[in-house]
Amino acid sequence: MSGAKPRARSRARKRRLIRAIALAVALMLLLAVAATAIPILLFASIAPPTTAFMLASHFSDPATGQPCDVVDYVWLDLDSIAPDLGLAVIVSEDQRFFEHAGFDLNAITRVLSEHTRGHRLRGASTITQQLAKNLFLWPTRSLVRKGLEAWLTAWLEQLWSKRRILEVYLNVAQFGPCLFGAGAASDHYFNTEASALSAREAALLATVLPDPKHLRADDPGPYASERIVEILELMDWHRDKAIGRQLARIAGKRR
């Protein structure tokens, strides 16, 4: 009998410890969900005043490595952006944008298969993944960033419409040094409004998106010039097909 009480107290302490750990984990998950959902829900209806990439640009711009004295960013509703820019970005960056739920498993499988055959590991990020990174994270690649990017991507797809995802992406994507969004890029490069972009201008902006550090819309090199032609051909091909029809459908919706 003398050993029963210590054993009972030991079991009670273990139960209290387990409950304390479970409560701590639950609270951390709740805080993580709140910290994720609140800003995403907030930006579902209002224009983001800034992004993580824009803030980082004041210290080291991803396109130059130098600090930006001024970040050029002008918010525009999707209705004020030429549909050709949305088409150019989708056909060049994420052709399954309207089909996937944030992750293009086909593209990921293809990239991994190419990598196992000795090809350089290239990105397979969707528009939603790129938006999550630009809005909330940082440019440098790491497993931690990719994990957070996946978490945020899933939430964006659940809480935002495809229209809102595309609208915000076109407004916050970096098109050049200290230059973010279709409004600022259209004015800077073409001295025109984003609503008046031509198909070629839209293709040129889409060309620099993957690498604004090395590609310049105001000085396209041989690669960019060839890529513009490819994107224009893709735009013509998809304009009257599924991507073009889906784009026209969401353009008529408010969120």
Side-chain angles (χ1 to χ4, degrees):
M1 294 293 292
S2 59
K5 289 183 179 180
R7 285 196 297 272
R9 285 195 295 267
S10 177
R11 287 195 295 268
R13 282 196 299 269
K14 288 180 180 178
R15 286 195 295 269
R16 287 195 296 269
L17 179 60
I18 292 171
R19 285 197 295 268
I21 292 173
L23 180 60
V25 170
L27 285 174
M28 285 189 291
L29 286 174
L30 183 60
L31 288 173
V33 169
T36 303
I38 290 172
I40 289 177
L41 286 170
L42 184 66
F43 294 151
S45 57
I46 68 170
T50 187
T51 69
F53 269 42
M54 292 180 202
L55 291 173
S57 289
H58 288 289
F59 303 95
S60 178
D61 184 47
T64 64
Q66 301 298 315
C68 296
D69 293 329
V70 176
V71 171
D72 199 353
Y73 165 56
V74 179
W75 174 267
L76 295 173
D77 290 339
L78 188 61
D79 297 336
S80 299
I81 300 173
D84 269 346
L85 182 58
L87 180 61
V89 168
I90 291 172
V91 301
S92 63
E93 296 274 292
D94 185 5
Q95 291 187 18
R96 298 188 67 248
F97 174 67
F98 292 111
E99 301 172 36
H100 63 64
F103 307 95
D104 189 344
L105 299 181
N106 291 345
I108 293 171
T109 302
R110 184 168 61 252
V111 166
L112 291 176
S113 176
E114 291 173 356
H115 183 57
T116 58
R117 295 198 302 271
H119 293 269
R120 182 177 65 87
L121 187 62
R122 59 184 178 85
S125 294
T126 64
I127 286 174
T128 316
Q129 288 175 275
Q130 294 174 53
L131 175 59
K133 177 184 67 177
N134 290 355
L135 266 180
F136 300 113
L137 303 174
W138 57 91
T140 308
R141 291 184 178 183
S142 68
L143 289 177
V144 172
R145 198 210 72 185
K146 291 302 291 184
L148 291 172
E149 180 185 297
W151 167 263
L152 291 163
T153 295
W155 279 92
L156 283 169
E157 285 281 345
Q158 287 297 312
L159 298 178
W160 288 9
S161 66
K162 289 291 187 180
R163 174 191 166 96
R164 184 59 174 175
I165 291 169
L166 182 63
E167 181 176 56
V168 178
Y169 181 67
L170 293 179
N171 272 285
V172 305
Q174 185 165 18
F175 289 97
C178 309
L179 192 65
F180 293 83
S186 301
D187 180 64
H188 180 83
Y189 291 125
F190 311 119
N191 194 30
T192 189
E193 296 181 353
S195 60
L197 286 170
S198 68
R200 189 181 188 284
E201 290 167 343
L204 179 53
L205 291 181
T207 296
V208 306
L209 268 182
D211 191 5
K213 184 174 182 178
H214 297 104
L215 300 174
R216 293 285 188 267
D218 54 354
D219 185 24
Y223 166 79
S225 298
E226 292 180 9
R227 183 60 176 154
I228 291 167
V229 175
E230 293 174 358
I231 293 175
L232 285 169
E233 291 175 351
L234 287 169
M235 291 168 68
D236 287 340
W237 171 259
H238 288 284
R239 193 182 303 278
D240 297 323
K241 294 180 173 62
I243 291 177
R245 291 195 297 269
Q246 289 273 40
L247 190 58
R249 181 180 62 80
I250 68 166
K253 291 185 176 180
R254 301 298 300 173
R255 303 288 175 264

